[in-house]
Amino acid sequence: MVTGSDGHASAARRLVDYEPFARDERPSMGGRLQRLCRAARRDLTASGVGVSVMSRSGGLVATAASSPRSARVEDLQFSLGEGPCLTACTTGRPVLVPDLEQAGGVPWPGYASAALSHGVQAVFAFPMQDGATRLGALDVYRDQAGSMSEWAVARALGFAEVAMDTILDDGGVAADEPDLWDQQDISFEVYQAQGMVMIQLAVTPDEALARMRGFAFAENRSLREVASDIVARRLVLESDG
């Protein structure tokens, strides 16, 4: 399990406990993760912090973030199906990209380009992992290029450990898709829309999801928004034929 030192995790936990509630705070686990992101952003002198949670099938299903802008950047990984969170979860190691503009070798060029368009110059992802169970990652964004110090990396791992404990304490890992956004199962809505597109276009599940992601990216919308419109029949994707 990749964690921060006990001292950094304890300090991170205290900072989250002391973080004030926001006016639009979500209840329970979602609200605590929001406070964690806000506390981590200040403590790490970052532009934004997000927490991405993975389903058992390996898909990114939900996020918490320090601000609406950070939520939008975090959501890029959900829409594009790639990004530092996925790499951190796959490898079980931190992903440190101090200069996104010069990082030509990253395995997610689509995400890199989209993140740069949102003003992100550096991104760092820290895995949340408990044995063989991979919960997701804590992502740190900066508007200026530059490496994180050893202290900041250790503290970020501490925040990732606290985020992981928060999810486990809430029992979120027992459910395939933890509900962190609003009071609905967003992933179910995405899967429902995926099934509708499969039938409408007579395509495979992977192709249906790819069509939805492509539309979301082209229209600068989140996958959740596109799925919601498909389910509500406000949107019908067109066939290539």
Side-chain angles (χ1 to χ4, degrees):
M1 175 169 60
V2 178
T3 66
S5 68
D6 290 342
H8 282 292
S10 296
R13 187 169 287 105
R14 285 194 299 271
L15 289 171
V16 177
D17 289 341
Y18 297 150
E19 180 67 24
F21 283 71
R23 181 178 303 176
D24 60 345
E25 194 93 326
R26 299 199 306 271
S28 188
M29 175 174 64
R32 181 167 176 80
L33 289 178
Q34 284 180 306
R35 294 193 297 279
L36 181 146
C37 290
R38 295 198 300 270
R41 181 192 63 78
R42 277 194 297 274
D43 194 43
L44 298 172
T45 319
S47 302
V49 172
V51 171
S52 293
V53 179
M54 310 294 292
S55 70
R56 290 173 184 166
S57 60
L60 187 63
V61 298
T63 58
S66 57
S67 69
R69 180 194 173 207
S70 297
R72 186 66 178 175
V73 175
E74 194 75 5
D75 193 61
L76 291 173
Q77 301 180 85
F78 186 71
S79 299
L80 298 172
E82 64 176 35
C85 170
L86 293 170
T87 300
C89 290
T90 300
T91 64
R93 297 190 297 271
V95 175
L96 310 177
V97 185
D99 192 340
L100 197 55
E101 197 163 10
Q102 300 300 320
V106 294
W108 13 267
Y111 168 85
S113 176
L116 283 167
S117 72
H118 282 73
V120 175
Q121 295 293 319
V123 61
F124 311 90
F126 301 89
M128 298 184 300
Q129 185 168 316
D130 183 28
T133 302
R134 295 169 179 173
L135 281 71
L138 179 137
D139 302 316
V140 178
Y141 306 106
R142 286 184 173 172
D143 291 347
Q144 294 183 340
S147 301
M148 294 182 77
S149 67
E150 289 186 10
W151 176 91
V153 168
R155 180 58 62 88
L157 286 167
F159 276 108
E161 183 174 344
V162 175
M164 180 182 67
D165 290 343
T166 298
I167 296 168
L168 291 175
D169 289 345
D170 192 76
V173 139
D176 193 37
E177 273 100 29
D179 179 13
L180 305 183
W181 288 98
D182 301 328
Q183 297 304 311
Q184 58 179 329
D185 189 337
I186 292 169
S187 290
F188 176 78
E189 190 170 44
V190 171
Y191 294 144
Q192 186 178 5
Q194 181 184 18
M196 293 174 66
V197 172
M198 286 170 56
I199 295 172
Q200 291 165 357
L201 302 184
V203 295
T204 65
D206 288 346
E207 176 65 16
L209 187 58
R211 296 285 187 94
M212 291 164 58
R213 282 174 169 158
F215 184 88
F217 184 71
E219 297 295 321
N220 194 27
R221 302 178 64 193
S222 72
L223 185 60
R224 285 190 284 264
E225 293 169 342
V226 171
S228 179
D229 280 354
I230 291 173
V231 171
R233 303 187 186 281
R234 294 186 295 265
L235 171 66
V236 176
L237 299 187
E238 296 181 358
S239 172
D240 290 339

